């Protein structure tokens, strides 16, 4: 009996000891391989992902409130200049890194061949560089100095580059992107231009012109840096966006991807077309574009814009008593599948008109001005304005070199609803003359000229943000001016 | 093998025969006499069958019969009879000449110091030898008011814990226990719950009636044997097993109780001003296109219905048109009423909650066999409308000695839980999210209830928050009649159905083989399986009856979602146990292995943007492409461990644990972690022999515990595919997390020094523990500046140092036969919990915000919980008033707004002091009064409800008088406004002015200073109150029917005695750093009856 106890005991001990001393204890085979993911990025899918969000990137409500395209209807705070502490950070790990990833995957020796199945490596890289430049410009236009040269490299401790150096590098990037476009396999995942590289080149050149013109306060002269850059872009053989067919736009498929202005009223009604906008359009001979830009909630025509920058105690009862106020866009222009125009012929033509009027180029201001206005009407599917329209005192051009007010005003209308561009042009030209919110809560009560850095900047990028703030005259305030605004 | 067994069988039979033969022979030859008697119990006077009666020093004996009677022939020279029975004190009776004896047996009293501590893998210890703090809470302390959740039940009873409870209106939510501060770099990681060796993910599926005791392993030195799972301490629960009773019969216990719950703590509201935005009401003028029923309202006044704030007219009893007058078809159509305060409207909304808690346990044990089965049911009708919870429990626990060496054990628990209803306590939810954030103070909730089924002929459900009559259009009535942001609250809960179910099966089967005395080996298969489904159905009526309502709650377009999950966790364990005494040394040792594997599968689908066919709840009925998702993972670890302790003469002890883990989640070339603990203790009282000191012990220990990483987080860069396609183009985004290729597991360490003393016949006792711990190189995904291209980096990082003191005191100040008082107190002081290092270049990061953007950024600078180097764990920072250093006064703008300091420090989320006091009074033997208090001091939270409730003019502070004696809501020009002092931000000259009340409170949001909304977590509360009565079944002759009957009146959360904030119950803050719209505090009263047969 005792023998058997020993037998069993030894057996059990042996099992225990064998399992313990087993050399395979640390070998788990493929247990830790995630079955629900791949470790290889698909560049076409990354590109589609980035482009799918461009509607929101190109239409920023805060900036559209600052430049008074929109008014807030029930909870006014942004339009009363409440402190805005959004950080540019999120975009870096979002769309920007996806673009960087396209560049990396098309460059690295071990991945470029696979990536080329989605289009020529050089062309994919060119598109990624163009889109990166687009995003970076919109960010530096809002915040000023931001991380650029050291960003997107995995290192969180980055310096903030000056806006000047960013702008100059962006112009270089765009120039190089145009130059590197080659023939090759068609691009996949391109939901904007369907792989048409000639259009991407036109977009890049158009962006170069907008960037150069943005620097007009800093470099006003006809032979200064800005004018030189503008001319170089204009003279690039690939050309620029001159007809609506070449517009950089997104045609939404609906369902999971809807026009952002459809979403704006899908449940809420926080915004209306501002009274500033309706008044301006009215002054432009009852500009027909009002039928596009605003209509009542039920879609009826209206020219009743929402008073801008008023306190809740005023505006909330006002919208209650004035149910016929204008929503942003007539319903037909903000269906689920309505397109979003991101870079459009009208604004490029008007930019060229301004450059000509400034004497930067020798093109015809008048021709470009008329073409720009016509392109804007055409883009919205409207009949071209009659000759009488151009005779309106607020529209008709005067002597060469004096036409900035008319051109900038038309650009302001043509850029609608792209607040980022509208606000930047107002800061650059002061046109149209905007009155600060009557019930502003900031101090001093002036229209913001930049975004403040976010709390997360001070938390996660303290050294960098503090160095950038030290360079800002006036500190990290909404009324401090970015470099090109000085 | 078979042959051998047969042989053994026959050998046994022969031996038995021989034994009987020998006994018979002896009886024949000896001179004998017969004696008889009866054995009864001291406790209840009942007779005891089955008592073993033997003649001391012989093998002669018998057992008592069913009536407790025995008859035995004893040798003439027999001197003593021995009466023994399991669970009772053995008694010897000296034989006289008498032939009949009455014997009484007493239940064995378990002495205080003999409570057994349970550690991992079911290893039991006498606490005397333990070198770390092991607190044990026994069943009698846990079930005072029949809490249905273990967290509530141990609050205040264990030192070193902070219990963050949850409102009882949120059915099934169990709150969170922090042991010794907390750990890691997140918001806190939660303690481990282990039931009879099986790890449970939360404390939900534990049957409180079934708990024998709970051992709380506070630190690594106590929990080291559990490996990484016990990294934040462990709550080890041992359930009851059948015990042999005196009658050798089956025990039956019926336990039945009910509780009625009502709202207790709610914010203090202002009761002076009605809904709307301006103090003047609007005059209604009847138009020919308006409904004819409105004619009676012509010329009457109404406040702004559409604005969901309460900055409206003063409630002075004046006539006004209430919201419901405009709807056709009610008896109130076209009527006016008096505008009077409704101070209890929010409170009136909530129903009385009812909880029924019933269980039946049967158990039976005999030599070599025990069996216990429990069926329990908890049925709850919640305080929110249409909310219920129903939980049914089946438990079977048995061990069976197959032969004298081999024991089989099985332990099966099945919990099935169904819940119904919405328990949202996020921002802008449909109960407190309105009452405390966006609401009209003049709403009469009884009218709301009365009119919940009121709807227009077009089918729009009536809302208190409809639009103003100026927007009435006879051809399109929806813009007027539909809710602007809100519905009738009762209707919402009618139209939303959220059922869910979880079936959890857990337990183990084991074989224990006793190789020889003191050496045994046990093999266990353990499984915990959870299958769940959940659905949500939001009626399409919500879309038809609301205008902007879907902006806050997209589900209100009509919505259906469904999800199912399957998860299993399996362990295969072996454990060798060895006990041996060598002269003065006593050795206990264990050797074990634990192989773990877990599988998780999840599928879910949701409709998007509404339902095509109204109220048809089907995924394919989605207006837009439905959203689908699935998830699955597999995770394993393997562990081998050894532990041992040595005692010398029962006063000097030493112990150690060694454990090595291999993890599937870690890099395969570096996936092993070794962790150790050791300690010693010295019972000095045995040497001193002082009359007043019954027990004195010092102990010291050191331990470490491993931490691994999340499943599939290494090596990272796992690309998923977007759920939706853009015209056939699929989408992919780059993962946002960088993973350090050298990531490895890490260990946390803690050392402890303890003193335990008991005086005066153990009527007083104190346990004191000082602990000191550090966490180093914790694997954690640290937030990094997204400028890197990534939002976080998973790496080994950081250093947290913590220190604290845990104290427990127990006293029996009074102990008379008719009155006794038991007093226990716990106290813990968190001396420090400091972050020494985060990661290179990272000084601070946010772990939780209560008001955040989609990207997790704090919206408008509202306070967030952060971890920062050089600070304590869990600090609250955010935008607040800038204080002028020179004067100590706040800086002000020329408008009287404060100047925002974006980085203001508001305090820490952890209370410094936590503890509780338990009092048990025994009166007249049969009555027991129990009062359990708990408390905490220090700690802060940010209230989003207070912020929005103040913005909306709901909170008490938005009304009242200023120092001029005028209402603060009056215009500054008329002597109203809020008095503001400070210095001008530019001139630094003193500012002393009045600011319009609404501007002042809106200014906190617009200009960002949230000082007023950060509150203190300090509280003292009476958590449990019970008056119990033990029916004296023997005295009144009920013992034929029942062994014992206990009736008690109970109260849960009866009294929040002290709290710095008057608006919230600080013991039930819904999130680590604050709250976003939490449900109110609840108190409950009820009764319970427990009968043992």
């Amino acid at each position: 009996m005792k023998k058997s106890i020993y037998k069993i005991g030894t057996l059990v001990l042996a099992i225990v000891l064998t399992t313990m001393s087993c050399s395979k204890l640390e070998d788990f085979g493929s247990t830790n391989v995630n079955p629900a993911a791949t470790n290889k990025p698909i560049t076409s899918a990354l590109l589609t992902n980035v482009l799918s969000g461009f509607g929101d990137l190109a239409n920023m409500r805060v900036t559209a409130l600052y430049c008074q395209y929109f008014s807030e209807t029930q909870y006014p705070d942004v339009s009363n200049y409440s402190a805005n502490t959004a950080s540019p950070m999120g975009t870096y790990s979002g769309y920007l890194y996806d673009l960087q990833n396209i560049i990396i995957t098309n460059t690295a020796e071990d991945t470029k061949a696979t990536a080329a199945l989605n289009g020529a490596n050089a062309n994919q890289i060119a598109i990624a560089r163009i889109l990166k430049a687009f995003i970076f410009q919109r960010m530096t236009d809002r915040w000023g100095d931001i991380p650029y040269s050291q960003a997107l490299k995995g290192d969180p401790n980055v310096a903030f580059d000056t806006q000047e150096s960013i702008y100059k590098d962006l112009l270089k990037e765009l120039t190089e992107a145009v130059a590197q476009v080659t023939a090759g396999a068609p691009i996949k995942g391109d939901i904007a231009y369907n792989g048409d590289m000639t259009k991407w080149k036109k977009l890049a050149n158009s962006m170069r012109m907008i960037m150069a013109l943005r620097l007009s306060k800093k470099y006003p002269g006809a032979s200064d840096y800005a004018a030189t850059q503008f001319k170089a872009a204009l003279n690039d053989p690939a050309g620029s966006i001159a007809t609506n067919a070449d517009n950089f736009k997104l045609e939404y498929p609906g369902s999971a991807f809807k026009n952002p202005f459809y979403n704006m009223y899908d449940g809420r009604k926080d915004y209306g077309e501002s009274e500033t906008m309706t008044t301006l359009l009215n002054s432009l001979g009852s500009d027909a574009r009002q039928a596009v830009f605003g209509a009542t909630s039920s879609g009826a025509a209206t020219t009743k814009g929402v008073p801008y920058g008023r306190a809740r105690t005023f505006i909330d009862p006002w919208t209650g008593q004035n149910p016929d106020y204008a929503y942003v866009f007539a319903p037909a222009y903000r269906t689920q599948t309505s397109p979003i125009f991101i870079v459009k012929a009208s604004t490029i033509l008007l930019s060229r008109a301004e450059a000509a009027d400034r004497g930067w180029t020798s093109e015809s201001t008048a021709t470009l001005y008329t073409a720009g206005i016509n392109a804007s009407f055409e883009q919205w599917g409207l009949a071209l304005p009659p000759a009488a329209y151009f005779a309106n005192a607020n529209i008709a051009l005067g002597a060469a070199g004096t036409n900035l007010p008319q051109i900038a005003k038309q650009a302001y209308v043509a850029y609608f609803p792209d607040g980022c561009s509208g606000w930047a042009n107002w800061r650059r030209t002061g046109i149209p003359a905007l009155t600060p919110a009557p019930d502003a809560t900031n101090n001093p009560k002036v229209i913001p000229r930049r975004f403040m850095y976010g709390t997360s900047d001070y938390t996660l990028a303290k050294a960098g943000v503090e160095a950038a703030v030290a360079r800002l005259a006036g500190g990290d305030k909404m009324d401090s001016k970015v470099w090109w605004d000085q | 093998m078979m042959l051998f067994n047969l042989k053994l069988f026959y050998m046994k039979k022969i031996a038995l025969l021989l034994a009987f033969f020998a006994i018979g022979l002896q009886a024949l030859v000896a001179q004998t006499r017969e004696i008889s008697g009866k054995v009864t119990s001291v406790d209840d006077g009942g007779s005891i069958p089955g008592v073993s009666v033997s003649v001391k020093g012989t093998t002669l004996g018998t057992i008592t019969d069913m009536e407790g009677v025995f008859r035995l022939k004893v040798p003439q020279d027999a001197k003593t009879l021995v009466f023994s029975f399991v669970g009772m004190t053995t008694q010897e009776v000296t034989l006289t000449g008498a032939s009949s004896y009455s014997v009484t047996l007493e239940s064995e009293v378990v002495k205080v110091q003999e409570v057994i501590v349970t550690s991992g893998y079911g290893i039991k210890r006498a606490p005397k030898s333990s070198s770390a703090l092991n607190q044990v809470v026994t069943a009698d302390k846990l079930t005072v008011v029949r809490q249905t959740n273990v967290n509530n039940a141990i609050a205040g009873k264990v030192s070193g814990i902070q219990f963050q409870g949850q409102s009882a209106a949120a059915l099934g939510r169990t709150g969170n226990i922090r042991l010794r501060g907390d750990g890691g770099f997140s918001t806190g990681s939660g303690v481990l719950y282990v039931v009879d060796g099986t790890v449970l993910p939360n404390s939900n599926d534990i049957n409180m009636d079934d708990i024998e005791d709970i051992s709380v392993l506070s630190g690594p030195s106590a929990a080291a044997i559990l490996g990484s799972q016990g990294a934040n301490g462990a709550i080890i629960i041992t359930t009851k097993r059948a015990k042999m009773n005196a009658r050798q019969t089956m025990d039956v216990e019926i336990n039945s109780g009910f509780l009625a719950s009502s709202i207790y703590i709610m914010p203090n509201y202002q009761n002076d001003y009605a809904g709307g935005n301006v103090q003047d009401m609007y005059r209604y003028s009847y138009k020919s296109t308006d409904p004819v029923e409105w004619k009676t309202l012509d010329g009457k006044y109404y406040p702004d219905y559409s604005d969901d704030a309460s900055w409206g007219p003063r409630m002075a009893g004046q006539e006004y048109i209430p919201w419901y007058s405009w709807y056709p078809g009610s008896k109130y159509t076209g009527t006016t009423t008096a505008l009077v305060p409704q101070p209890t409207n929010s409170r009136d909304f909530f129903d009385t909650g009812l909880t029924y808690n019933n269980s039946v346990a049967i158990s039976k044990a005999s030599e070599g066999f025990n069996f216990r089965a429990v069926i329990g049911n908890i049925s709850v009708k919640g305080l929110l409308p249409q909310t219920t919870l129903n939980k049914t429990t089946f438990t079977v626990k048995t061990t069976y000695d197959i032969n004298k060496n081999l024991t089989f054990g099985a332990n099966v628990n099945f919990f099935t839980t169904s819940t119904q209803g919405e328990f949202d306590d996020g921002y802008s939810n449909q109960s407190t999210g309105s009452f405390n954030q966006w609401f009209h103070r003049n709403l009469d909730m009884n009218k709301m209830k009365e009119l919940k089924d009121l709807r227009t002929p077009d089918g729009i459900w009536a809302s208190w928050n409809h639009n103003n009559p100026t927007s009435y259009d006879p051809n399109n009535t929806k813009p007027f009649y539909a809710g602007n942001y809100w519905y009738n609250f009762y209707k919402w809960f009618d139209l939303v159905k959220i059922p869910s179910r979880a079936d959890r099966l857990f337990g183990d089967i084991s074989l224990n083989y006793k190789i020889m005395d003191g050496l045994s080996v046990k093999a266990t298969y353990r499984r915990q399986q959870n299958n769940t489904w959940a659905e949500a159905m939001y009626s399409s009526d919500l879309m038809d009856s609301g205008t902007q309502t879907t902006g806050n709650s997209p589900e209100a377009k009509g919505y259906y979602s469904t999800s199912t999950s399957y998860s299993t966790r399996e362990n295969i364990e072996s454990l060798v146990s060895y006990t041996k005494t060598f002269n003065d040394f006593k050795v206990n040792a264990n050797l074990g292995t634990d192989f773990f594997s877990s599988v998780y599968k999840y599928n879910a689908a949701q409709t998007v943007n509404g339902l095509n066919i109204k109220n048809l709840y089907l995924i394919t009925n989605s207006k837009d492409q439905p959203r689908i998702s699935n998830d699955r993972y597999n995770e394993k670890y393997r562990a081998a461990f050894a532990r041992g302790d040595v005692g010398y003469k029962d006063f000097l002890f030493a112990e150690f644990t060694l454990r090595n883990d291999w993890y599937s989640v870690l890099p395969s070339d570096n996936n092993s972690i070794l962790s150790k603990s050791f300690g010693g203790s010295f019972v000095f009282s045995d040497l001193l022999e002082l009359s007043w000191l019954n027990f004195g012990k010092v102990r010291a220990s050191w331990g470490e515990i491993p931490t691994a990483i999340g499943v599939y987080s290494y090596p990272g860069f796992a690309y998923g595919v977007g759920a939706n396609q853009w015209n056939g183009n699929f989408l992919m985004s780059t993962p946002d997390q960088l993973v350090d290729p050298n990531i490895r597991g890490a260990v946390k360490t803690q050392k402890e020094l303890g003193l335990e003393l008991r005086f005066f016949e153990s009527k007083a006792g104190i346990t004191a523990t000082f602990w000191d711990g550090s966490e180093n190189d914790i694997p954690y995904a640290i937030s990094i500046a997204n400028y890197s291209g990534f939002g976080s980096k998973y790496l080994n990082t950081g250093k947290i140092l913590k220190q604290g003191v845990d104290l427990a005191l127990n006293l029996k100040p009074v102990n008379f036969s008719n009155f006794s008082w038991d007093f226990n107190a716990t106290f813990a002081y968190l001396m420090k919990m400091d972050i020494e290092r985060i990661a290179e270049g990272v000084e601070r990061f946010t772990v939780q915000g209560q008001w955040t953007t989609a990207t997790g950024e704090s919206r408008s600078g509202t306070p967030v919980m952060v971890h920062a180097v050089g600070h304590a764990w869990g600090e609250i920072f955010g935008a607040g008033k800038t204080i002028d250093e020179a004067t100590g006064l706040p800086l002000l703008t020329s408008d009287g707004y404060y100047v925002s300091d974006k980085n203001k420090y508001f305090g820490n989320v952890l209370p410094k002091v936590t503890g509780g006091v338990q009092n048990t009074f025994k009166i007249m033997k049969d009555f027991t009064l129990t009062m359990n208090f708990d408390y905490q001091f220090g700690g802060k939270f940010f209230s989003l409800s207070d912020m929005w409730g103040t913005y909306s003019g709901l909170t008490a502070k938005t009304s009242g008088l200023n120092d001029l004696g005028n209402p603060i809501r009056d215009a500054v020009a008329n002597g109203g406004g809020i008095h503001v002092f400070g210095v001008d931000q530019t001139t630094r000259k003193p500012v002393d002015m009045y600011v319009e009340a609404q501007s002042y409170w809106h200014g906190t949001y617009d200009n960002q200073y949230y000082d007023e909304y950060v509150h203190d977590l300090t509280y003292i509360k009476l958590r449990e109150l019970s008056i119990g009565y033990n029916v004296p079944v023997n005295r009144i002759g009920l013992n034929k029917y029942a062994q014992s009957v206990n009736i008690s009146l109970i109260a849960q959360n009866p009294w929040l005695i002290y709290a710095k904030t008057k608006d919230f119950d600080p013991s039930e803050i819904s999130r680590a750093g604050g709250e976003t719209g939490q449900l109110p505090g609840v108190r409950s009263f009820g009764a319970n009856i427990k009968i043992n047969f």
Side-chain angles (χ1 to χ4, degrees), chain A residues 91-154:
Chain A
T91 313
Y92 285 76
S93 53
Y95 298 126
L96 280 173
Y97 196 84
D98 285 343
L99 295 167
Q100 189 70 21
N101 206 355
I102 292 175
I103 297 173
I104 293 168
T105 310
N106 277 288
T107 308
E109 286 306 324
D110 58 333
T111 53
K112 64 192 281 190
T114 313
L117 298 173
N118 297 316
N121 293 133
N123 291 351
Q124 287 190 63
I125 293 170
I127 290 174
R129 291 171 93 175
I130 293 165
L131 294 175
K132 265 177 74 185
F134 185 92
I135 296 170
F136 268 119
Q137 187 202 359
R138 294 211 161 209
M139 290 206 295
T140 183
D141 280 358
R142 283 177 290 158
W143 281 275
D145 296 358
I146 51 172
Y148 178 77
S149 59
Q150 297 171 13
L152 306 175
K153 290 178 179 165

Side-chain angles (χ1 to χ4, degrees), chain B residues 503-525:
Chain B
D503 293 342
R504 189 187 303 280
L505 177 72
F506 69 90
D508 60 87
I509 50 172
S510 62
L511 271 177
N512 188 64
Y513 189 80
K514 195 169 123 193
I515 297 167
M516 59 174 78
D517 269 345
L519 178 65
S520 65
V521 55
K522 186 179 185 184
T524 307
Y525 169 75

Side-chain angles (χ1 to χ4, degrees), chain B residues 104 144 500 580 655 940 944 962:
Chain B
T104 54
V144 171
S500 72
K580 177 92 181 169
E655 63 173 335
K940 302 275 184 190
L944 190 71
N962 63 19

Side-chain angles (χ1 to χ4, degrees), chain B residues 16-246:
Chain B
L16 211 64
L17 275 172
L18 283 174
F20 277 119
F21 186 70
I23 293 166
L25 212 66
Q26 196 178 22
L28 260 174
V29 292
Q31 289 281 340
T32 61
R33 63 172 178 137
E34 188 179 90
I35 53 170
S36 62
K38 184 169 182 178
V39 182
T40 52
S41 158
V42 167
D43 305 329
D44 59 7
S47 52
I48 313 175
V51 175
S52 146
V53 185
S54 61
V55 181
K56 193 171 177 182
T58 75
T59 51
L60 294 174
T62 184
I63 57 168
T64 57
D65 66 11
M66 287 309 289
E67 273 71 48
V69 174
F70 68 92
R71 265 172 239 287
L72 181 66
K73 284 200 167 106
V74 301
Q76 291 293 0
D77 59 349
K79 290 193 173 65
T80 311
L81 285 184
V82 181
F83 295 82
S84 65
F85 192 78
V86 174
M88 304 218 128
T89 312
T90 299
Q91 189 159 334
E92 297 190 358
V93 174
T94 308
L95 291 174
T96 59
S99 60
S100 177
Y101 296 84
S102 261
V103 179
T104 54
L105 292 186
E106 216 174 330
S107 291
E108 249 176 341
V109 182
V110 179
K111 294 179 184 78
V112 187
Q113 58 267 50
E114 284 168 357
V115 170
I116 295 298
V117 172
T118 310
S119 167
Y121 302 99
I123 297 167
K124 307 249 180 212
R125 325 261 325 259
K128 195 174 184 183
S129 69
S130 170
S131 66
L133 176 62
N134 283 292
Q135 305 183 76
V136 178
V137 190
T138 49
D140 55 319
K141 298 269 190 306
L142 290 167
T143 52
V144 171
V145 298
R146 260 189 119 199
Q147 299 276 13
T148 52
N149 182 281
V150 67
N151 290 347
N152 286 70
I154 65 168
K157 295 170 191 165
V158 173
S159 60
I161 65 168
Q162 183 205 353
F163 172 47
Q164 296 173 279
Q166 294 285 298
S167 165
L171 303 182
R173 229 179 272 173
T174 56
N176 179 36
I177 291 235
R178 286 182 171 141
L179 272 172
R180 291 185 172 170
D182 213 312
F185 272 139
S186 76
T187 55
S189 18
V191 62
L192 183 74
Y193 298 90
V194 183
V195 178
D196 292 330
T198 303
V199 171
L200 291 183
N202 57 50
S203 62
N204 247 328
D205 291 338
I206 298 166
N207 183 353
M208 290 299 296
D209 292 339
D210 214 20
I211 296 181
E212 174 82 34
D213 62 56
I214 293 178
S215 298
V216 178
L217 311 181
S218 303
S221 39
I225 200 163
L226 290 164
S228 61
Q229 302 181 105
N232 302 298
I235 291 179
I236 309 286
I237 294 161
T238 306
T239 63
K240 290 175 182 162
R241 68 170 57 240
K243 285 180 191 136
M244 249 194 270
N245 69 13

Side-chain angles (χ1 to χ4, degrees), chain B residues 722-735:
Chain B
N724 297 302
Q725 299 187 2
W726 182 301
N727 286 338
N729 294 284
F730 67 97
L731 284 72
M732 176 180 268
S733 59
T734 313

Side-chain angles (χ1 to χ4, degrees), chain B residues 399-637:
Chain B
T399 65
Y400 173 61
D401 293 347
I402 296 170
N403 61 36
K404 67 177 185 170
N405 291 334
L406 192 60
T407 302
F408 167 83
N411 193 353
V412 180
N413 301 275
F414 179 69
F415 284 76
T416 177
T417 310
S418 305
T419 57
Q420 150 62 33
E422 189 184 63
F423 308 101
D424 186 6
D425 57 5
Y427 168 68
S428 200
N429 69 70
Q430 299 285 335
S431 60
T432 41
S434 176
F435 309 148
N436 302 342
Q437 295 174 344
W438 305 98
F439 190 56
H440 289 168
R441 290 296 311 142
N442 56 304
L443 296 177
D444 175 347
M445 204 53 82
N446 297 319
K447 282 277 186 337
M448 190 81 64
K449 192 167 198 170
E450 182 185 342
L451 298 173
K452 85 175 168 113
D453 295 324
L454 180 62
R455 71 199 298 194
T456 69
D458 298 337
I460 297 166
W461 295 108
S463 162
W464 58 273
N465 183 219
H466 61 75
N467 280 278
N468 295 323
T470 43
S471 65
Y472 183 78
D473 172 357
N475 300 314
N476 180 16
T477 59
K478 188 180 168 189
F480 171 67
Y481 280 127
N484 189 20
Y485 310 103
W486 301 96
Y487 303 93
N488 182 322
F489 306 105
Y490 292 99
K491 198 76 233 169
W492 170 274
F493 284 92
D494 275 357
L495 295 175
V496 172
K497 304 263 179 274
I498 307 181
S500 72
R501 177 156 172 154
D503 293 342
R504 189 187 303 280
L505 177 72
F506 69 90
D508 60 87
I509 50 172
S510 62
L511 271 177
N512 188 64
Y513 189 80
K514 195 169 123 193
I515 297 167
M516 59 174 78
D517 269 345
L519 178 65
S520 65
V521 55
K522 186 179 185 184
T524 307
Y525 169 75
R526 194 180 292 291
R527 184 180 183 89
Q528 193 259 100
Q529 176 172 329
N530 195 26
N531 296 346
T532 70
W533 61 258
E535 287 179 293
M537 286 162 274
Y538 288 70
S539 167
S540 305
D541 289 13
L542 294 166
M543 180 68 177
D544 298 337
S545 304
T547 53
Q548 294 196 89
T549 50
T550 59
N552 288 339
S553 169
E555 295 84 1
K557 287 179 172 176
Y559 175 78
Y560 175 61
S561 74
T562 177
S563 65
T564 55
S565 75
Y566 166 90
S567 68
T568 58
R569 298 162 59 88
E570 292 172 290
N571 298 67
I572 296 169
E573 300 164 5
S574 70
L575 182 71
V576 180
S577 304
Y578 178 71
T579 310
K580 177 92 181 169
T581 307
F582 303 96
N583 302 326
D584 290 335
F585 292 93
K586 194 175 179 205
V587 175
N588 293 298
N590 299 95
L591 212 58
T593 61
D594 178 5
F595 285 20
F596 167 83
S597 171
S598 111
V599 169
Y600 177 73
K601 310 274 180 193
Y602 174 77
N603 296 308
Q606 298 141 37
T607 64
V608 178
N609 209 31
L611 303 170
N612 288 316
I613 300 169
K614 283 182 183 177
N615 298 331
L616 174 62
Y617 302 109
L618 190 67
I619 292 302
T620 47
N621 190 32
S622 176
K623 266 204 176 137
D624 286 357
Q625 189 179 342
R627 201 171 295 131
I628 49 169
S629 58
N630 76 330
D631 194 9
R632 56 199 194 274
Y633 68 71
N634 183 202
E635 181 180 355
K636 292 176 181 167
Y637 72 72

